[in-house]
Amino acid sequence: MHGEVSPESKSERAYTAIKTRIVEGSFTPGYRLVLAKIAGDLGVSVVPVREAIRRLEAEGLVTFERNVGATVSGIDPTEYLYTMQTLSIIEGAATALSAPLIDSVAIARARAVNGEMRECLEHFDPVRFTALNQDFHSILFEHCPNPHILDLVHRGWNRLATLRSSTFRFVPARARESVQEHDALLRLIESDAGADTIERAARQHRAATLDAYLAQVSAPPEPVPYSTQEENQ
Amino acid sequence: MHGEVSPESKSERAYTAIKTRIVEGSFTPGYRLVLAKIAGDLGVSVVPVREAIRRLEAEGLVTFERNVGATVSGIDPTEYLYTMQTLSIIEGAATALSAPLIDSVAIARARAVNGEMRECLEHFDPVRFTALNQDFHSILFEHCPNPHILDLVHRGWNRLATLRSSTFRFVPARARESVQEHDALLRLIESDAGADTIERAARQHRAATLDAYLAQVSAPPEPVPYSTQEENQ
DNA sequence: CGATAGTTGATCGTATACGATTTCGTACAT
DNA sequence: ATGTACGAAATCGTATACGATCAACTATCG
């Protein structure tokens, strides 16, 4: 048992391994990515790991500083804001472009997922709800014919995943509205509403979640021990 | 005595060097990026070059294939289409977000640039016109407060630069319309039109260039797959 | 007691070396 | 003449080695 043809390079494996741990949350924001450590864990040398980290850097999942090292990015609360805003635009467009290509089967699946979300509202589990939320939206934008846009949407979701906020943990009230808006969105798509209408609705849907979050964090008295300056609006 | 403290790593230098040559066009699409060659030219080893290429790969400027190598991407004409469509969305949003922050000085500068473009129409030089076009739009979106979006706009422009088509070489007729639309866009911004209006105008402006290009390259007047007919609602 | 210079350890940056894979040309057989 | 098999050259992938840099700690001086 030797020489199994490995279809993916070690660099690739390092990339997916690190990315997975970041997205799944075992590498939390701020986590220090030490090259030798990771290389050791994966049983490879540092060179492939370096390449992997360069890619992750270009994607914005990790922050890199010369002669210091890489850390999982996403601590900054303004980062969340920027990411959500960007995603509202990109995902809105992706959903609109995708809409004409969504068949009734996909609609039914989306509706089923949204049903689960509705059930989930009872004994509320923010993490599960967020996961379902991603499933739901994936169904809607995954048919987007423009691969660039689709890629940007995925990157946006990954970024959000690193922030691990589960958003809805902070604004549980928003969850209920969210489910309703999902239904409305599905109806729009089903009725072949104009791309413009769908785009606006999808963007608005996400923007509303962001607004709810912002309203929430600006009210409570407990300031975060890190940096809490900036962003007045 | 020893070399001046170099604030940037060789990896960094390799990155900017390669990127510059791609954007400036001395590395044309399809160009084969041989690691050892580049390393030799830059007087470094292959390791930093590999890292640089990984980053460029993640940005989409180069395409990478395992055990084969990297090539400057952008040969595919559909790539142009996808990039333009994506950019129309991103740049539209960036311009709209930027608009409220554009002061009269910037407006004046933009108007001056557009004046040069108008002059340029006489003895038409597509390359110069395209460069001015970038200057013009840069003034409009550069104030965008969301760094992610701004970054995406830059990446989009870079991608376009690699395709080096100068677009207007293919559709010179579009140049004249373009200048007029620029004026209209400036008027909208000056009059504090709604973000929505500005976004729509900016997006439409770029989409129209894309449509003109598509109409040009496909002689048979087929309904174009990804054009911008989405004004119904 | 506080501040600053020196020292040590951890970690990064890059070069070099060598095995692995692909590509392409050439010779041979049909 | 065409197709296949073999082999050599080019290029990539990864490991290892070592110098460079940064951060933390300690010791010494005021």
Side-chain angles (χ1 to χ4, degrees), chain A residues 7-39:
Chain A
E8 60 174 7
S9 69
K10 298 190 177 179
S11 168
E12 200 72 26
R13 204 153 58 235
Y15 171 78
T16 54
I18 299 172
K19 185 168 181 175
T20 300
R21 294 206 203 157
I22 292 178
V23 173
E24 287 185 348
S26 67
F27 286 171
T28 60
Y31 186 92
R32 179 90 184 279
L33 297 170
V34 179
L35 294 176
K37 173 78 163 52
I38 297 176

Side-chain angles (χ1 to χ4, degrees), chain A residues 6-220:
Chain A
S6 159
E8 60 174 7
S9 69
K10 298 190 177 179
S11 168
E12 200 72 26
R13 204 153 58 235
Y15 171 78
T16 54
I18 299 172
K19 185 168 181 175
T20 300
R21 294 206 203 157
I22 292 178
V23 173
E24 287 185 348
S26 67
F27 286 171
T28 60
Y31 186 92
R32 179 90 184 279
L33 297 170
V34 179
L35 294 176
K37 173 78 163 52
I38 297 176
D41 289 350
L42 297 176
V44 302
S45 84
V46 296
V47 179
V49 177
R50 291 183 66 93
E51 292 180 20
I53 287 187
R54 287 302 195 183
R55 289 174 59 185
L56 293 168
E57 180 196 10
E59 289 181 29
L61 265 72
V62 311
T63 308
F64 202 83
E65 193 178 352
R66 167 104 199 256
N67 279 321
V68 173
T71 57
V72 178
S73 58
I75 326 171
D76 192 347
T78 66
E79 199 64 12
Y80 177 75
L81 190 156
Y82 291 143
T83 303
M84 281 289 274
Q85 187 180 37
T86 306
L87 193 52
S88 78
I89 291 162
I90 290 290
E91 189 181 9
T95 302
L97 287 170
S98 183
L101 305 173
I102 299 176
D103 57 22
S104 55
V105 179
I107 295 265
R109 268 197 305 142
R111 201 155 260 146
V113 172
N114 201 37
E116 287 190 72
M117 292 178 76
R118 183 167 277 120
E119 285 177 25
C120 190
L121 287 174
E122 309 304 329
H123 32 291
F124 190 53
D125 173 359
V127 175
R128 176 167 156 73
F129 191 85
T130 298
L132 287 170
N133 190 43
Q134 172 155 8
D135 289 344
F136 177 85
H137 284 289
S138 290
I139 296 172
L140 297 196
F141 63 65
E142 212 59 63
H143 291 81
C144 175
N146 185 324
H148 288 182
I149 295 176
L150 197 49
D151 182 51
L152 292 180
V153 177
H154 288 146
R155 292 189 186 194
W157 276 93
N158 279 338
R159 292 281 275 287
L160 282 186
T162 70
L163 310 175
R164 182 141 209 70
S165 312
S166 293
T167 305
F168 294 105
R169 185 195 308 275
F170 293 89
V171 284
R174 171 70 190 145
R176 197 156 245 110
E177 294 171 24
S178 197
V179 171
Q180 291 175 347
E181 290 177 18
H182 286 175
D183 277 332
L185 193 52
L186 286 178
R187 277 195 299 274
L188 280 181
I189 294 172
E190 258 179 337
S191 65
D192 289 325
D196 211 54
T197 307
I198 294 173
E199 176 169 359
R200 189 180 307 270
R203 185 190 289 195
Q204 205 51 37
H205 170 60
R206 179 159 293 280
T209 299
L210 174 55
D211 287 344
Y213 175 82
L214 290 178
Q216 184 66 22
V217 294
S218 63

